[in-house]
């Protein structure tokens, strides 16, 4: 409990939208992880000029980004969808 000894590396095999606020004292991801995710087909990484709660501080931009990504998923091959 409360230990990082048993962490399992998170490597999604499906397209993923990762949105985060860049104005935080620390991040929950590494630069290498973000770059690897950007390389995955159908995935997208977006940094917003906000703190942790992007959906609260930038609601219109957040909703637009999520909607655009979901709309783009309709264009992906079936094998790249969940």
């Amino acid at each position: 409990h409360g230990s990082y000894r048993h962490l399992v590396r998170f490597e999604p095999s499906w397209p993923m939208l990762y949105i985060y606020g860049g104005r935080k004292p620390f991040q929950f991801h590494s630069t290498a992880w973000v770059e690897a995710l950007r390389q995955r087909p159908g995935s997208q990484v977006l940094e917003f000029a906000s703190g942790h709660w992007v959906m609260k501080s930038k609601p219109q931009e957040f909703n637009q980004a999520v909607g655009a990504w979901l709309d783009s998923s309709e264009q992906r091959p079936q094998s790249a969808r969940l």
Side-chain angles (χ1 to χ4, degrees):
H1 301 292
S3 173
Y4 292 102
R5 284 182 280 174
H6 303 292
L7 278 180
V8 176
R9 187 174 178 89
F10 178 66
E11 295 187 26
S13 59
W14 53 84
M16 182 175 152
L17 173 62
Y18 184 66
I19 294 176
Y20 68 97
R23 294 189 198 152
K24 293 174 24 175
F26 64 92
Q27 300 294 328
F28 297 108
H29 60 268
S30 68
T31 302
W33 186 83
V34 165
E35 291 307 317
L37 183 61
R38 280 191 174 115
Q39 301 305 312
R40 290 186 172 283
S43 293
Q44 187 176 6
V45 176
L46 298 173
E47 176 182 350
F48 280 74
S50 71
H52 180 74
W53 299 106
V54 178
M55 68 290 286
K56 183 172 174 27
S57 59
K58 303 275 188 184
Q60 290 176 325
E61 295 93 333
F62 177 85
N63 288 337
Q64 183 178 23
V66 171
W69 187 79
L70 290 172
D71 288 344
S72 74
S73 72
E74 294 297 317
Q75 307 305 316
R76 292 186 203 119
Q78 186 67 29
S79 62
R81 295 190 216 162
L82 290 175

